[in-house]
Amino acid sequence: CSVELVGRDLLANDRVAVLEMIDEGEPTNLVSFPGFVNPANGTTPSRFILGLPVAGKPGEYALYWGRSPFSSWNIQLGSFILHGPDYFGNHTFSLGEPSTLTLQGVGLLRTDGLVLVASPLECESAVNLSRRIRVTGWCSAGTGICNPSSIGIGGVSSFYMLGEASAAVDIGLIPRFALCWESGTARDDDEASQFVVALGTLALVGPMIPADGPRLWTCTLGVGCMVAVRGYDLAAED
């Protein structure tokens, strides 16, 4: 995230800052997001790098400029809009049932993407293919990336039809995955990392297939037969 300014006699030690707004439109506190540099010093007199925000409340803030000594922020440059989804939280889906997911936020795009990531439950720079979970029947089988099926008017919501999950790899007794998001604009920005925004976790309810593939079950006539199934939140009525 960066800001470019146009003006006269700008100095290298000038700063810009993003402040919260109160109902009357007056600035209050500096906002603080993980990965966000605020206030930001100029890398040149006209360019300010605000870092890579990976969490925070999407919405409208105020952008201010100041010159040393910074006794107050009294020169408002305009509004600063943070795009992205709101935090989603922890949710559960059942195998064998259609799964949908709706995100709320600001500036959401049809090209945004989601991936499920196994342990550790962290969304980090350039989440690679080896850590993405491919659930049979969900999204793209090759990349594990889910894209929105539709976007609400003004980009304030995005609707994901994940599909009907029929199987998931058994990675333990609790198959809970991190939900990692990437803006569709990041793919055109060489400085942007991929899938670094953590939105919460998803847990799948149902039996898990073994990591080495489906097993062969056999029984013999005249001999007691039992099938043991591993999974999450299995119930006696299954």
Side-chain angles (χ1 to χ4, degrees):
C1 182
S2 64
V3 172
E4 299 275 354
L5 300 183
V6 176
R8 295 186 58 184
D9 296 328
L10 300 176
L11 301 178
N13 64 344
D14 293 343
R15 282 179 162 185
V16 296
V18 179
L19 280 68
E20 296 176 342
M21 301 291 289
I22 59 177
D23 293 339
E24 291 76 14
E26 295 297 326
T28 55
N29 301 321
L30 290 169
V31 299
S32 178
F33 305 137
F36 194 58
V37 179
N38 190 34
N41 294 314
T43 55
T44 68
S46 61
R47 189 167 193 251
F48 302 82
I49 305 298
L50 286 83
L52 177 66
V54 297
K57 177 63 177 175
E60 182 176 359
Y61 300 89
L63 181 66
Y64 278 74
W65 173 88
R67 173 159 290 175
S68 179
F70 302 98
S71 58
S72 63
W73 299 100
N74 52 16
I75 305 298
Q76 183 173 359
L77 300 176
S79 296
F80 180 92
I81 309 296
L82 180 65
H83 288 180
D86 294 329
Y87 186 72
F88 184 69
N90 303 319
H91 291 263
T92 300
F93 293 117
S94 297
L95 293 174
E97 296 181 0
S99 300
T100 61
L101 183 152
T102 301
L103 298 180
Q104 307 293 331
V106 175
L108 302 178
L109 303 172
R110 187 68 181 267
T111 51
D112 295 343
L114 291 171
V115 295
L116 300 181
V117 176
S119 179
L121 299 180
E122 297 175 352
C123 302
E124 54 192 34
S125 176
V127 174
N128 58 38
L129 284 170
S130 65
R131 291 192 58 221
R132 297 179 193 169
I133 296 297
R134 262 81 81 195
V135 179
T136 304
W138 267 16
C139 305
S140 171
T143 64
I145 298 176
C146 302
N147 298 114
S149 305
S150 62
I151 297 293
I153 296 175
V156 298
S157 62
S158 56
F159 181 71
Y160 292 77
M161 295 183 64
L162 302 180
E164 185 174 306
S166 59
V169 173
D170 184 356
I171 61 170
L173 291 178
I174 304 179
R176 186 174 292 277
F177 314 119
L179 183 65
C180 304
W181 180 87
E182 176 194 51
S183 168
T185 62
R187 299 182 186 90
D188 298 324
D189 184 356
D190 292 337
E191 296 180 2
S193 300
Q194 296 181 345
F195 303 105
V196 294
V197 179
L199 296 185
T201 64
L202 294 181
L204 293 176
V205 172
M208 303 292 108
I209 63 171
D212 56 355
R215 295 177 181 174
L216 173 63
W217 305 96
T218 62
C219 285
T220 302
L221 291 173
V223 178
C225 187
M226 181 184 70
V227 173
V229 177
R230 288 164 54 93
Y232 180 55
D233 273 359
L234 301 179
E237 58 270 19
D238 292 341

